[in-house]
Amino acid sequence: LGGGKHLKRRSTGLSRGSSGGSSRGWGDDRGRDDRAGGRRSRFSGATDNLIWQQMITQRSVFSSGSSAILPVRRHVDETVSRKFGARILGSVDNASRSRSNIRQVTSIIDQAWDEAMKAFEMVADESSLDFIMMSSIRLRESPLLSLRRASRLYLCAVGGPGSMRGDSGTSGWASVSESTLKVSKQTEDSIPVEARRVLESGGSSWHRVSFPGLSSRLGLSSYSFAASYEPTLNSAQDASKENNLRHLVQVFPDQSGLSGFRRWEVCAELRSAIDTLMELNEMIQYLSRRKKKQEIDDEDVEDMKSVGSKSGTGSCRCDESIVNAVPVPDHFNLLTSDGRKDLVGKLSVGPAASAIYSQVESTLRSFEHSSDGRTGDIFTNDAERIIFVLSVIGLRVLQSHFSSMSSKDMCRLAQRPWLRHLVWESTLAYLLWDCVAVLEKKKCYDLAVSILETILTGSPVQGQSLRQSFDPFVRSLISRRVRGKAVERLIIDRGHLEKAAAKSQKKSENTSKGVACPPNGGKKIHCVETSEQHTATQRLCLEVVTKEGAKSSIPFSAVRSLARRLKVPLKDTLADVENAEMKALEIRCENDVKQNSTEAKSDAASAAKAKSRKRQSGYVEWTPTTDFSVANSIENEAKDGVGKRCAYVGWDDEDYSGGMARARSMNVEEHALAEYSAGRLPNLGEKIDTTSTNVIGGWVGWHDEGGHVRALFRILCANEILGTQCPSSVQCTERHTIYLSPYHGAPLDLHVATQGLVRGFYERRRSHIEKVLGDLERLSPQQICDLVHRSIAERMEEVRRSGSTGSRDALLCRDVGELRTLSFLAAALGGKALTAIFRCLCYDYRHYAGGLPDLTMARAVYEEGCGDDDNKESGTGTQQLVDLGSWIGEAFDVEEIEKGQVVELCRILADRDDEFLGCNKIGETGAGSSQQRFRQRRGKKQDETTKRGEEHLSSETVAVPPKLVLSHQGRTIRAECMFVEVKSANDRLDARQEDWLNVLDRVANARVCKFSAKKKAKKAKRGT
């Protein structure tokens, strides 16, 4: 725009969104062409900068209807002419760039331009050319808004289908608008501090967005899959080939691409809005509970019960003062009929829009009376109301769209399911899935059921049976993990509707017979189900298990959860079902019976007891080995301790804490680490810790929930599996859409699992993956150590060849700083365990990236046996343990431990919760608000190891340490690993955690540590 210092000077003192102190303002002059008036001074005040004024006032293309557009053409013409004249004077020797000289040269340029335009018009008239020559074009919207729209599209495309959720502006799923709440100063001061941070979203958070290309050029990040990216057009010779392939690789097709892209942008705005609303809703609920807890005396239990009964739903109703203090943004005006009509018009086209709007209004009127007979407003704040309205609109739009979709549009996503994050139907389906949780809390089960049936099957289900064949397009809308959870919620919500119908029928029958209604509204109906209702639920579960389980369209953990309702052994239920996931990952339905083993006898006895206890329900499945320990949690007397975890008193043991007594409180995972480190666990029969001969404890590890295992997967499989080109049997055009950018965190199809006709990552690369894993399984522990070292060293050399030292890449520097530790852990796992773990991650990374055991522990012992005869005779054998500080170094070193001062031996490294490829820890099934509350309450606490890691990253150079050799002081070393899932007294295993323990128990030492308040057992039991 011919800018530079001139534009900067003219905009000095003008604040964004204001008139810069001008007394004239806009008034009726908006959109007026200043050519009719006299020429203004080129160096007038900031308020005369028409370009800047247009940038801050012009409406976006999102706005419906026509709007006045400021004339900037003449302004740009004058600026370009003036800059051109100044450059001409600069090329002439001894020429002065005074205003008069610039004005004289500019007039000559203007005269020459007018003559050229006249000549062009004559030629255009003779040639009948319909073209207008111009020096500038009219802006359709603010340049900043256009830049954000382009950035959001790029960031969301690079993020992939594994990160389809906003994260407070740190990802691409953020609003591009500058719309903010307009509140008075008094109202702003009354907003709670926790809610202010939530409200700082949308356009105001774009300064926190991390752009991968910029991070790569600054050396802050390196991307392992940059070499796998291949542009569709490499040279001019490939132009004809690119034209032929364009319709195959184009994300938004020609005919429906523009309409689909506009709907996707609207859904992206809704994604940002729903994240803010969900977080605000939970924040209001949390603040209300905290206030009520502070007001109620701890000794007055009766008052607490009365408050709970007055809420009407069993949960505390939001405090009116907090609801009034927290403003809720409604950027789409969904609480008004005009706003709902406008949103329906943006998501649908043609005559269908009016029909959908009528359905939406009719549905809203029907919900004035809730499903359980309650009347009036059932919502406690505007956030819940907006979420409810949005769920109704999204449901009606999807139902109408699915009924009129062409087969061509359906096949496009089914053929490329890894692009679901750029499909507006998929984005809207995820929004509806997030709304289900709020609807269930408000007992809107009928609407929740309709939503779940639509995103699962594409249409409402008639009767008790699901459709026999799900459309591949609908299968591709949401991930396999979300599908499994949606099926479980569908069956639960249907059960609620059946109970409500039975309760209503019972009440009507009693009324007609003149019998008084049972006390408490007939709550016995909730406890006792008729055989007909129970059979209907079982029939639906059996249908899903047999049909969808055979197609692996839902995870095996969901299959087990549904099969548990059938009340028969899992092995019998799946006798005629060939589940591909169970077969590929070798998941067992029952415990193995071992012979000629002391542990086998104990396992068989505990399994028999478990079967006898479960014989009442008839359901039997595989159960993990469980270690019991006694631990009484510290009573939490803090009145503001809402939602705090249990804390325990640690052991004052200096022998296993590097000379430092642990007298502080610790959570349940830290307490378990101390128990295994000291050798008090595991207890197997009369012997203590028989996993290796006469060795007590010595376990060190991390509460990382599988973070180090995922790091090994990234390091060892980045080049061999994740970064390889598609096999020759796969269409060559697919690689152009699997890698849309050089800055991917993972190939896009890594988050797509095989579901019948929907091909996933494992199925498309099956032969190559099995070959690589087979080679890994045959490696010795020392060869695995060398492989880890070689993989990180090659990655470091690749970064250095690219022209960067890599010293500022946090992930790469951490890998180098922990190289010997990671090599030790890989050797302890062994090839067989690594192969089983990596196969699970390849089969369905979106599902199996989480759920790994809480603790990953390892230790090193000498192969030769005990070096101290006295210890050997006594059976303690502590001298067999290898000093990890002198052998490995790094964070095990004594100097590093002393540097941390408060870092125990069992917490030597920071948690690696960021070790997720192409996704975050929240994923698709959690709400961002929970993580935000966690950060708010614990944001000030920082682990000493994290600080030490930051100091390490600030170094100028990063040197690759030497290889780890499995020998020390002339003695051979054996590395051992153990996984432990820790549960407190009132906690139980998740279905996905059970599957991970099932897989790990077959190839490694995996168990559960259960803490109880009373001393129930000392021996390890399987099946409890």
Side-chain angles (χ1 to χ4, degrees), residues 391-411:
S391 63
V392 175
I393 295 177
L395 173 63
R396 299 308 178 191
V397 168
L398 278 186
Q399 289 178 347
S400 175
H401 179 67
F402 288 160
S403 62
S404 60
M405 281 191 68
S406 63
S407 58
K408 181 179 180 181
D409 293 337
M410 291 184 179
C411 293

PDB file of all heavy atoms in Angstrom, residues 391-411:
ATOM      1  N   SER A 391     -26.973 -27.006  20.590  1.00  0.00           N
ATOM      2  CA  SER A 391     -27.141 -28.436  20.341  1.00  0.00           C
ATOM      3  C   SER A 391     -28.383 -28.706  19.497  1.00  0.00           C
ATOM      4  O   SER A 391     -28.369 -29.580  18.617  1.00  0.00           O
ATOM      5  CB  SER A 391     -27.227 -29.179  21.675  1.00  0.00           C
ATOM      6  OG  SER A 391     -28.365 -28.767  22.416  1.00  0.00           O
ATOM      7  N   VAL A 392     -29.451 -27.963  19.727  1.00  0.00           N
ATOM      8  CA  VAL A 392     -30.670 -28.150  18.922  1.00  0.00           C
ATOM      9  C   VAL A 392     -30.430 -27.744  17.478  1.00  0.00           C
ATOM     10  O   VAL A 392     -30.815 -28.454  16.533  1.00  0.00           O
ATOM     11  CB  VAL A 392     -31.833 -27.344  19.542  1.00  0.00           C
ATOM     12  CG1 VAL A 392     -33.067 -27.418  18.649  1.00  0.00           C
ATOM     13  CG2 VAL A 392     -32.163 -27.870  20.929  1.00  0.00           C
ATOM     14  N   ILE A 393     -29.776 -26.606  17.266  1.00  0.00           N
ATOM     15  CA  ILE A 393     -29.508 -26.153  15.894  1.00  0.00           C
ATOM     16  C   ILE A 393     -28.588 -27.125  15.173  1.00  0.00           C
ATOM     17  O   ILE A 393     -28.841 -27.513  14.023  1.00  0.00           O
ATOM     18  CB  ILE A 393     -28.903 -24.737  15.926  1.00  0.00           C
ATOM     19  CG1 ILE A 393     -29.917 -23.731  16.473  1.00  0.00           C
ATOM     20  CG2 ILE A 393     -28.442 -24.322  14.531  1.00  0.00           C
ATOM     21  CD1 ILE A 393     -29.373 -22.323  16.615  1.00  0.00           C
ATOM     22  N   GLY A 394     -27.498 -27.533  15.835  1.00  0.00           N
ATOM     23  CA  GLY A 394     -26.578 -28.468  15.194  1.00  0.00           C
ATOM     24  C   GLY A 394     -27.228 -29.792  14.857  1.00  0.00           C
ATOM     25  O   GLY A 394     -26.964 -30.382  13.797  1.00  0.00           O
ATOM     26  N   LEU A 395     -28.086 -30.290  15.744  1.00  0.00           N
ATOM     27  CA  LEU A 395     -28.772 -31.560  15.489  1.00  0.00           C
ATOM     28  C   LEU A 395     -29.669 -31.458  14.268  1.00  0.00           C
ATOM     29  O   LEU A 395     -29.630 -32.325  13.380  1.00  0.00           O
ATOM     30  CB  LEU A 395     -29.581 -31.946  16.726  1.00  0.00           C
ATOM     31  CG  LEU A 395     -30.495 -33.173  16.578  1.00  0.00           C
ATOM     32  CD1 LEU A 395     -29.665 -34.424  16.303  1.00  0.00           C
ATOM     33  CD2 LEU A 395     -31.359 -33.353  17.819  1.00  0.00           C
ATOM     34  N   ARG A 396     -30.487 -30.428  14.180  1.00  0.00           N
ATOM     35  CA  ARG A 396     -31.406 -30.287  13.040  1.00  0.00           C
ATOM     36  C   ARG A 396     -30.655 -30.054  11.741  1.00  0.00           C
ATOM     37  O   ARG A 396     -31.058 -30.552  10.680  1.00  0.00           O
ATOM     38  CB  ARG A 396     -32.379 -29.136  13.302  1.00  0.00           C
ATOM     39  CG  ARG A 396     -33.261 -29.324  14.528  1.00  0.00           C
ATOM     40  CD  ARG A 396     -33.967 -30.663  14.504  1.00  0.00           C
ATOM     41  NE  ARG A 396     -34.771 -30.878  15.703  1.00  0.00           N
ATOM     42  CZ  ARG A 396     -35.320 -32.030  16.023  1.00  0.00           C
ATOM     43  NH1 ARG A 396     -35.125 -33.089  15.251  1.00  0.00           N
ATOM     44  NH2 ARG A 396     -36.031 -32.158  17.132  1.00  0.00           N
ATOM     45  N   VAL A 397     -29.559 -29.312  11.794  1.00  0.00           N
ATOM     46  CA  VAL A 397     -28.775 -29.071  10.569  1.00  0.00           C
ATOM     47  C   VAL A 397     -28.164 -30.368  10.060  1.00  0.00           C
ATOM     48  O   VAL A 397     -28.215 -30.675   8.858  1.00  0.00           O
ATOM     49  CB  VAL A 397     -27.693 -28.007  10.838  1.00  0.00           C
ATOM     50  CG1 VAL A 397     -26.702 -27.951   9.686  1.00  0.00           C
ATOM     51  CG2 VAL A 397     -28.324 -26.642  11.039  1.00  0.00           C
ATOM     52  N   LEU A 398     -27.576 -31.165  10.961  1.00  0.00           N
ATOM     53  CA  LEU A 398     -26.964 -32.422  10.529  1.00  0.00           C
ATOM     54  C   LEU A 398     -28.004 -33.408  10.019  1.00  0.00           C
ATOM     55  O   LEU A 398     -27.775 -34.091   9.008  1.00  0.00           O
ATOM     56  CB  LEU A 398     -26.184 -33.042  11.690  1.00  0.00           C
ATOM     57  CG  LEU A 398     -24.774 -32.516  11.937  1.00  0.00           C
ATOM     58  CD1 LEU A 398     -24.090 -33.341  13.015  1.00  0.00           C
ATOM     59  CD2 LEU A 398     -23.946 -32.530  10.666  1.00  0.00           C
ATOM     60  N   GLN A 399     -29.131 -33.506  10.673  1.00  0.00           N
ATOM     61  CA  GLN A 399     -30.164 -34.432  10.218  1.00  0.00           C
ATOM     62  C   GLN A 399     -30.667 -34.060   8.830  1.00  0.00           C
ATOM     63  O   GLN A 399     -30.845 -34.930   7.965  1.00  0.00           O
ATOM     64  CB  GLN A 399     -31.324 -34.452  11.219  1.00  0.00           C
ATOM     65  CG  GLN A 399     -30.993 -35.136  12.529  1.00  0.00           C
ATOM     66  CD  GLN A 399     -32.149 -35.099  13.510  1.00  0.00           C
ATOM     67  OE1 GLN A 399     -33.124 -34.368  13.312  1.00  0.00           O
ATOM     68  NE2 GLN A 399     -32.050 -35.876  14.586  1.00  0.00           N
ATOM     69  N   SER A 400     -30.879 -32.785   8.595  1.00  0.00           N
ATOM     70  CA  SER A 400     -31.321 -32.352   7.265  1.00  0.00           C
ATOM     71  C   SER A 400     -30.242 -32.567   6.215  1.00  0.00           C
ATOM     72  O   SER A 400     -30.527 -32.976   5.085  1.00  0.00           O
ATOM     73  CB  SER A 400     -31.730 -30.873   7.319  1.00  0.00           C
ATOM     74  OG  SER A 400     -32.059 -30.387   6.037  1.00  0.00           O
ATOM     75  N   HIS A 401     -29.004 -32.307   6.591  1.00  0.00           N
ATOM     76  CA  HIS A 401     -27.909 -32.453   5.635  1.00  0.00           C
ATOM     77  C   HIS A 401     -27.658 -33.919   5.284  1.00  0.00           C
ATOM     78  O   HIS A 401     -27.443 -34.258   4.117  1.00  0.00           O
ATOM     79  CB  HIS A 401     -26.645 -31.828   6.208  1.00  0.00           C
ATOM     80  CG  HIS A 401     -25.443 -31.937   5.321  1.00  0.00           C
ATOM     81  ND1 HIS A 401     -25.343 -31.287   4.105  1.00  0.00           N
ATOM     82  CD2 HIS A 401     -24.286 -32.639   5.464  1.00  0.00           C
ATOM     83  CE1 HIS A 401     -24.183 -31.573   3.547  1.00  0.00           C
ATOM     84  NE2 HIS A 401     -23.533 -32.393   4.348  1.00  0.00           N
ATOM     85  N   PHE A 402     -27.692 -34.801   6.276  1.00  0.00           N
ATOM     86  CA  PHE A 402     -27.452 -36.219   6.017  1.00  0.00           C
ATOM     87  C   PHE A 402     -28.521 -36.817   5.109  1.00  0.00           C
ATOM     88  O   PHE A 402     -28.235 -37.716   4.318  1.00  0.00           O
ATOM     89  CB  PHE A 402     -27.407 -36.992   7.336  1.00  0.00           C
ATOM     90  CG  PHE A 402     -26.168 -36.741   8.137  1.00  0.00           C
ATOM     91  CD1 PHE A 402     -26.138 -37.018   9.501  1.00  0.00           C
ATOM     92  CD2 PHE A 402     -25.029 -36.211   7.545  1.00  0.00           C
ATOM     93  CE1 PHE A 402     -25.000 -36.784  10.247  1.00  0.00           C
ATOM     94  CE2 PHE A 402     -23.886 -35.964   8.290  1.00  0.00           C
ATOM     95  CZ  PHE A 402     -23.867 -36.250   9.638  1.00  0.00           C
ATOM     96  N   SER A 403     -29.740 -36.331   5.216  1.00  0.00           N
ATOM     97  CA  SER A 403     -30.819 -36.886   4.408  1.00  0.00           C
ATOM     98  C   SER A 403     -30.735 -36.474   2.949  1.00  0.00           C
ATOM     99  O   SER A 403     -31.359 -37.105   2.088  1.00  0.00           O
ATOM    100  CB  SER A 403     -32.172 -36.454   4.975  1.00  0.00           C
ATOM    101  OG  SER A 403     -32.311 -35.039   4.938  1.00  0.00           O
ATOM    102  N   SER A 404     -29.965 -35.428   2.641  1.00  0.00           N
ATOM    103  CA  SER A 404     -29.881 -34.931   1.260  1.00  0.00           C
ATOM    104  C   SER A 404     -28.473 -35.010   0.684  1.00  0.00           C
ATOM    105  O   SER A 404     -28.229 -34.447  -0.382  1.00  0.00           O
ATOM    106  CB  SER A 404     -30.358 -33.479   1.209  1.00  0.00           C
ATOM    107  OG  SER A 404     -29.561 -32.641   2.041  1.00  0.00           O
ATOM    108  N   MET A 405     -27.553 -35.696   1.345  1.00  0.00           N
ATOM    109  CA  MET A 405     -26.186 -35.773   0.844  1.00  0.00           C
ATOM    110  C   MET A 405     -26.106 -36.704  -0.360  1.00  0.00           C
ATOM    111  O   MET A 405     -26.792 -37.724  -0.436  1.00  0.00           O
ATOM    112  CB  MET A 405     -25.232 -36.275   1.932  1.00  0.00           C
ATOM    113  CG  MET A 405     -24.831 -35.235   2.940  1.00  0.00           C
ATOM    114  SD  MET A 405     -23.470 -35.804   3.997  1.00  0.00           S
ATOM    115  CE  MET A 405     -22.141 -35.878   2.785  1.00  0.00           C
ATOM    116  N   SER A 406     -25.218 -36.367  -1.288  1.00  0.00           N
ATOM    117  CA  SER A 406     -24.981 -37.216  -2.450  1.00  0.00           C
ATOM    118  C   SER A 406     -23.940 -38.278  -2.107  1.00  0.00           C
ATOM    119  O   SER A 406     -23.144 -38.120  -1.178  1.00  0.00           O
ATOM    120  CB  SER A 406     -24.494 -36.374  -3.634  1.00  0.00           C
ATOM    121  OG  SER A 406     -23.250 -35.759  -3.335  1.00  0.00           O
ATOM    122  N   SER A 407     -23.954 -39.347  -2.856  1.00  0.00           N
ATOM    123  CA  SER A 407     -22.995 -40.431  -2.613  1.00  0.00           C
ATOM    124  C   SER A 407     -21.562 -39.984  -2.872  1.00  0.00           C
ATOM    125  O   SER A 407     -20.620 -40.457  -2.231  1.00  0.00           O
ATOM    126  CB  SER A 407     -23.337 -41.630  -3.503  1.00  0.00           C
ATOM    127  OG  SER A 407     -23.329 -41.250  -4.872  1.00  0.00           O
ATOM    128  N   LYS A 408     -21.395 -39.027  -3.782  1.00  0.00           N
ATOM    129  CA  LYS A 408     -20.052 -38.529  -4.077  1.00  0.00           C
ATOM    130  C   LYS A 408     -19.467 -37.799  -2.884  1.00  0.00           C
ATOM    131  O   LYS A 408     -18.290 -37.978  -2.542  1.00  0.00           O
ATOM    132  CB  LYS A 408     -20.094 -37.611  -5.303  1.00  0.00           C
ATOM    133  CG  LYS A 408     -18.742 -37.070  -5.712  1.00  0.00           C
ATOM    134  CD  LYS A 408     -18.863 -36.186  -6.941  1.00  0.00           C
ATOM    135  CE  LYS A 408     -17.494 -35.630  -7.347  1.00  0.00           C
ATOM    136  NZ  LYS A 408     -17.604 -34.743  -8.537  1.00  0.00           N
ATOM    137  N   ASP A 409     -20.279 -36.980  -2.226  1.00  0.00           N
ATOM    138  CA  ASP A 409     -19.804 -36.255  -1.045  1.00  0.00           C
ATOM    139  C   ASP A 409     -19.509 -37.211   0.104  1.00  0.00           C
ATOM    140  O   ASP A 409     -18.571 -36.999   0.881  1.00  0.00           O
ATOM    141  CB  ASP A 409     -20.832 -35.215  -0.620  1.00  0.00           C
ATOM    142  CG  ASP A 409     -20.982 -34.102  -1.636  1.00  0.00           C
ATOM    143  OD1 ASP A 409     -20.023 -33.888  -2.413  1.00  0.00           O
ATOM    144  OD2 ASP A 409     -22.056 -33.468  -1.676  1.00  0.00           O
ATOM    145  N   MET A 410     -20.299 -38.264   0.228  1.00  0.00           N
ATOM    146  CA  MET A 410     -20.057 -39.241   1.284  1.00  0.00           C
ATOM    147  C   MET A 410     -18.766 -40.002   1.062  1.00  0.00           C
ATOM    148  O   MET A 410     -18.002 -40.257   1.999  1.00  0.00           O
ATOM    149  CB  MET A 410     -21.229 -40.220   1.375  1.00  0.00           C
ATOM    150  CG  MET A 410     -22.515 -39.616   1.892  1.00  0.00           C
ATOM    151  SD  MET A 410     -23.812 -40.860   2.078  1.00  0.00           S
ATOM    152  CE  MET A 410     -25.152 -39.866   2.705  1.00  0.00           C
ATOM    153  N   CYS A 411     -18.495 -40.367  -0.185  1.00  0.00           N
ATOM    154  CA  CYS A 411     -17.283 -41.145  -0.480  1.00  0.00           C
ATOM    155  C   CYS A 411     -16.018 -40.335  -0.280  1.00  0.00           C
ATOM    156  O   CYS A 411     -14.952 -40.895  -0.014  1.00  0.00           O
ATOM    157  CB  CYS A 411     -17.341 -41.683  -1.906  1.00  0.00           C
ATOM    158  SG  CYS A 411     -18.627 -42.914  -2.176  1.00  0.00           S
TER     159      CYS A 411
END
